[in-house]
Amino acid sequence: MMTALGTESKIIVNIGVRYPITHVTWDQGKYTTYEICLQSDDPAFTAKQSKVRRRFSEFVWLRKQLTSHHRSRKTPRLPPRRFCSGRFDKNFINTRRILLEEWLQKILKVNLYLSDCTLHLFLQTPLPVHEIEDCTTGFTKTSATEFILKHAGPIIHSAAGADSDSGCHEHQHFRDRPKYH
C-alpha cells in the first residue's frame, strides 16, 4: 500500500510464544501450555491484539486443520513431540516454545492461511478446539468474528489462571501490504 509520501508500507505482525506453564491436574494429568501473543496492523485480523494459552496438542490439531483446508499447500512441520530429554524438562520446554514461535511465524507469512477462520479462532480466542470446529462448520449461532471480538484484547486462556504483561514485543516480522487495484 502506498503512503501519503508515495513509499511502500509494510504490515507489522508481532507474534510471541512465551511464558510456558506446566499444569498438574487430576483429570488431564500433566501438560504444558504456552501463551501466544499477537499484535498486528494486518487487516486480516479482526482484533489487533490478542493473548491466548495453547497446549502442544492444540498446535498439532491446528496443523491438521490447515493441511486439510489447504491441500495445495505444504503446511510447515511442527517440532517433534519429544526430544532426548523429558517433555517437562525446562530446556525441552524452552526449545519447544522457540520452535512453536518459529512455526507460527512461517504460518503467518502465508496469505492463504491468513484467510482461514480456524487460524484466527486459534490465535485470537480461548475456545477449545471442539468449539472452534463447531464455529467453523456452522454449528454455533455466533460467528468467528463475534467470538474474536468477544475475546479481543489482553486475554488469558482459562486454564492458565496467571497474568502476564499486555505487550507482545518479542518477535516482529513484516509483510508487504497487498496491492489493491
Side-chain angles (χ1 to χ4, degrees), residues 14-18 34-37 59 78-79 94-108 168 170-173:
N14 291 327
I15 187 81
V17 176
R18 58 193 194 171
Y34 303 85
E35 182 184 83
I36 302 169
C37 180
F59 280 88
L78 282 166
N94 190 52
T95 299
R96 177 181 271 178
R97 180 195 63 75
I98 292 166
L99 294 173
L100 289 172
E101 183 173 286
E102 290 172 357
W103 184 79
L104 282 174
Q105 288 171 352
K106 289 176 190 174
I107 294 297
L108 293 177
C168 180
E170 263 84 48
H171 295 91
Q172 186 176 79
H173 72 269

Side-chain angles (χ1 to χ4, degrees), residues 57-84:
S57 60
E58 292 172 305
F59 280 88
V60 172
W61 173 86
L62 176 62
R63 183 180 185 279
K64 286 179 184 174
Q65 296 300 307
L66 293 174
T67 300
S68 172
H69 297 171
H70 309 287
R71 294 186 187 275
S72 64
R73 178 103 191 163
K74 185 174 180 185
T75 309
R77 289 189 169 280
L78 282 166
R81 281 198 175 271
R82 297 187 186 191
F83 294 114
C84 295

Side-chain angles (χ1 to χ4, degrees), residues 46-47 124-125 143-153:
T46 301
Q124 298 201 287
T125 73
S143 71
T145 299
E146 291 170 319
F147 275 122
I148 292 168
L149 290 174
K150 178 181 176 183
H151 297 288

Side-chain angles (χ1 to χ4, degrees), residues 139-180:
F139 287 109
T140 62
K141 293 180 181 179
T142 307
S143 71
T145 299
E146 291 170 319
F147 275 122
I148 292 168
L149 290 174
K150 178 181 176 183
H151 297 288
I155 59 173
I156 301 295
H157 191 279
S158 59
D163 289 330
S164 61
D165 60 16
S166 62
C168 180
H169 307 288
E170 263 84 48
H171 295 91
Q172 186 176 79
H173 72 269
F174 300 90
R175 293 189 306 113
D176 289 327
R177 289 192 184 270
K179 294 180 180 161
Y180 300 103

